[in-house]
Amino acid sequence: MKTVTRIPLRDQIRKAVLDGLISGRLGPGDRVVERRMAAELGVSQAPVREALRELEALRLVESSPHKGARIRRLTVTDLREIYEVRAGLEETAVRLRPPPVEALRAHLAGLHHAAAASSLVDQVRHGVAFHREIVAASGNDVLLEVWESLGIEVWTHLSVRLFRMRPCENAADHEPLVAAFERGDPGVGVLLRDHILGYAAPG
């Protein structure tokens, strides 16, 4: 029998809000009412409150006394700041230890398949996996934890939907990175940083 992994309520609620943001069901200024969400999901308000605190840390939700929580009105500046931090983390990861090229090629193949199928969801998923491979290969758990705390996948989706940017994890844009890692290019960290920052403003 398969072991059933129970996902904490807090994580389920956070995912529900993120899915709403990505799909467009939730937009800037929309209220997220703890009591109503708890009633809809059949849970107490405690896990809802915990999930909203985590979303606030991601700068996706804002709360104020007597007004509750609302979806933040996201700006180009928000996006640029996230990408600047992300670029610095990934450049640092490369300096610590290069990623396995075979794994990058596998993620790149996934990107190409997603692009051929015109699946933005899969394109983002494979692209984020590509970059996570780079950070995880550094062997630095703190670096990986900080990178993951930025909410890379949801910010990528939001950057495409809200700012009408070209898909952030485009397969063709990742080819030069794989080639640079393959030949052991000492400038690959700068190439990676520029690759990320290239998406930090609407095209």
Side-chain angles (χ1 to χ4, degrees), residues 35-46:
R35 188 176 302 169
R36 185 187 306 157
M37 180 170 280
E40 287 174 354
L41 297 171
V43 300
S44 70
Q45 286 182 239

Side-chain angles (χ1 to χ4, degrees), residues 116-186:
S118 299
S119 172
L120 178 59
V121 170
D122 286 343
Q123 195 172 23
V124 170
R125 180 168 58 84
H126 285 296
V128 172
F130 179 102
H131 286 272
R132 189 186 187 281
E133 191 77 51
I134 292 172
V135 180
S138 72
N140 188 310
D141 291 340
V142 174
L143 185 63
L144 179 59
E145 187 176 336
V146 173
W147 185 87
E148 290 183 331
S149 75
L150 294 175
I152 302 297
E153 187 160 352
V154 69
W155 272 103
T156 301
H157 276 289
L158 292 174
S159 68
V160 174
R161 188 172 63 79
L162 297 182
F163 303 119
R164 291 187 173 84
M165 297 171 66
R166 57 197 174 113
C168 286
E169 311 298 343
N170 185 278
D173 289 345
H174 289 73
E175 291 279 7
L177 290 173
V178 175
F181 280 118
E182 259 180 339
R183 65 176 181 267
D185 189 336

Side-chain angles (χ1 to χ4, degrees), residues 44-90:
S44 70
Q45 286 182 239
V48 175
R49 196 171 299 122
E50 290 175 12
L52 291 178
R53 275 200 296 265
E54 292 182 5
L55 291 167
E56 194 168 1
L58 284 175
R59 302 175 72 196
L60 297 171
V61 167
E62 59 187 0
S63 60
S64 57
H66 312 300
K67 291 185 179 179
R70 290 183 182 274
I71 303 299
R72 279 191 69 229
R73 204 165 291 279
L74 306 175
T75 68
V76 173
T77 299
D78 292 322
L79 180 68
R80 185 181 66 247
E81 289 178 352
I82 289 288
Y83 275 62
E84 285 171 348
V85 173
R86 175 185 169 182
L89 292 173
E90 294 194 29

Side-chain angles (χ1 to χ4, degrees), residues 16-32 37 71 158 161-162:
V17 175
L18 292 178
D19 287 347
L21 279 168
I22 290 170
S23 68
R25 285 185 289 106
L26 289 174
D30 286 353
R31 291 186 67 202
V32 184
M37 180 170 280
I71 303 299
L158 292 174
R161 188 172 63 79
L162 297 182

